[in-house]
Amino acid sequence: DTGVSQDPRHKITKRGQNVTFRCDPISEHNRLYWYRQTLGQGPEFLTYFQNEAQLEKSRLLSDRFSAERPKGSFSTLEIQRTEQGDSAMYLCASSRSSATNEKLFFGSGTQLSVL
Amino acid sequence: QKEVEQDPGPLSVPEGAIVSLNCTYSNSAFQYFMWYRQYSRKGPELLMYTYSSGNKEDGRFTAQVDKSSKYISSFIRDSQPSDSATYLCAMRDNYGQNFVFGPGTRLSVLP
């Protein structure tokens, strides 16, 4: 399978705990995006990387959220001191270039439930 | 007002019907438009993309962009039960890297 891979698929945690998600993009893709999606809503942009550089973060991204992409390969998204409002599907997407026909390929997401 | 608006549905049609999906947007700088399909508990899957105005056809899917009205639409011909999913529109301008998504329309195609 050469698609975008996300791990874990599901995560249940208690309020106040830290969680970390991993995304493995399609191997030749240099861009990697993180989105968050809640029920009945479209994906909401969180942040993106070009190679290992984090180039943009959403103003909605609180200081409790941090993302890394060491060596421009896989990426991790960490949420510290989780809150119930963090419950959502966290989607990772990757793409090959910044051309006008850039196409995002999504993984299946990590469903986070904060109790 | 949200940047991208989309009727959430649910939209129920009989098998074989033509399905019409649409989005309106407020940012006149958007140039690049996409349609995604999302099955339950899965990530979105790209169906079609168009750049600027015009029509594009791919098999049973057609996408149209009317930039003067800030309106995009998609049509699914000969709809099948396997088309039952949520359909998301997404768009971007030439300068930003952020793809903005609509809330999605839930479609059910009944056999």
Side-chain angles (χ1 to χ4, degrees), chain A residues 5-82:
Chain A
S5 177
Q6 290 189 246
D7 184 68
R9 289 294 312 278
H10 304 276
K11 178 70 177 178
I12 300 173
T13 191
K14 292 183 180 178
R15 186 163 50 97
Q17 299 293 305
N18 298 344
V19 294
T20 300
F21 311 139
R22 177 180 170 122
C23 172
D24 287 89
I26 295 171
S27 59
E28 63 268 27
H29 285 184
N30 60 341
R31 290 195 161 197
L32 187 148
Y33 295 76
W34 284 100
Y35 281 81
R36 175 172 62 191
Q37 186 177 27
T38 53
L39 198 62
Q41 298 298 315
E44 175 187 45
F45 171 77
L46 294 179
T47 188
Y48 94 96
F49 294 83
Q50 177 147 321
N51 300 312
E52 66 275 10
Q54 188 174 16
L55 295 186
E56 188 174 344
K57 290 197 295 186
S58 167
R59 289 168 295 168
L60 302 174
L61 202 63
S62 86
D63 292 342
R64 296 184 297 105
F65 287 69
S66 62
E68 294 182 342
R69 193 184 181 196
K71 302 178 184 177
S73 56
F74 71 92
S75 175
T76 58
L77 177 68
E78 181 183 17
I79 308 175
Q80 296 182 328
R81 304 180 303 281
T82 53

Side-chain angles (χ1 to χ4, degrees), chain B residues 26-53:
Chain B
S26 57
N27 186 347
S28 57
F30 286 144
Q31 296 279 344
Y32 182 35
F33 305 91
M34 290 142 282
W35 285 96
Y36 283 82
R37 175 175 62 196
Q38 185 174 25
Y39 291 113
S40 180
R41 300 189 183 90
K42 296 287 189 181
E45 170 195 8
L46 181 65
L47 291 175
M48 294 193 72
Y49 71 90
T50 54
Y51 180 67
S52 197
S53 287

Side-chain angles (χ1 to χ4, degrees), chain B residues 1-4 24-30 70:
Chain B
Q1 180 190 10
K2 291 189 175 181
E3 256 189 310
V4 181
T24 57
Y25 61 94
S26 57
N27 186 347
S28 57
F30 286 144
K70 298 193 186 74

